[in-house]
Amino acid sequence: MITVKRNLHFVKGVKGRQRIQKEPVATSMVDDGRVPQNSRLMALAINCDQMIRDGEVADQTERARLLHVSQPRMTQIMNLLLLAPEIQEELLCLPRTVFGRDPIHEKLLRPIAAKPDWERQRGMWDAEEDPPVTRR
């Protein structure tokens, strides 16, 4: 029996399809991960709020139609603006996700945003920063 060992290098091609590349990808071309979903949602909430303030859109309902999301989903996104400023900043500055799932899920943020007191929010946020490994 003959065994052939060879290193294969996969790169993403058209429409996310993987293809084999003969030589390793240069380090400058390596994907450094992706922006976490919560960072994108926080930025979207800030952008939507600014558009409403500037009069570019009339209200959240119109913005929801433009984004092709439901009104309740738009409310969930906009509720991120109720978080304490420090928490919002941390969400915007989350490190890129190189592989796997994002470390913080939006469902964990909803009960924190529901608290009107920023001190209580900070306490809940600090408790969530080191979630157990088994949590999904």
Side-chain angles (χ1 to χ4, degrees), residues 9-117:
H9 305 281
F10 293 93
V11 294
K12 287 196 176 188
V14 179
K15 296 184 180 180
R17 293 186 181 134
Q18 289 187 348
R19 62 181 176 86
I20 299 173
Q21 185 170 337
K22 293 182 181 180
E23 285 128 29
V25 179
T27 55
S28 63
M29 295 175 63
V30 174
D31 187 20
D32 293 328
R34 59 183 168 75
V35 177
Q37 178 74 14
N38 286 320
S39 296
R40 288 183 282 166
L41 288 176
M42 188 72 242
L44 178 64
I46 293 169
N47 180 270
C48 290
D49 185 51
Q50 190 62 44
M51 288 181 77
I52 292 170
R53 288 177 191 234
D54 292 344
E56 294 177 35
V57 292
D59 54 12
Q60 284 188 34
T61 304
E62 184 179 347
R63 188 66 178 144
R65 265 195 309 273
L66 290 171
L67 292 174
H68 303 286
V69 297
S70 67
Q71 291 175 339
R73 180 63 179 147
M74 193 71 223
T75 300
Q76 289 174 344
I77 294 168
M78 296 300 282
N79 280 345
L80 293 175
L81 295 171
L82 301 175
L83 292 168
E86 298 85 15
I87 298 172
Q88 290 183 22
E89 184 178 355
E90 284 189 48
L91 285 175
L92 290 169
C93 298
L94 286 172
R96 296 175 77 87
T97 302
V98 179
F99 62 92
R101 295 181 177 183
D102 293 338
I104 300 170
H105 302 285
E106 184 200 354
K107 286 185 180 182
L108 296 175
L109 296 173
R110 291 179 194 163
I112 297 173
K115 303 292 180 200
D117 182 22

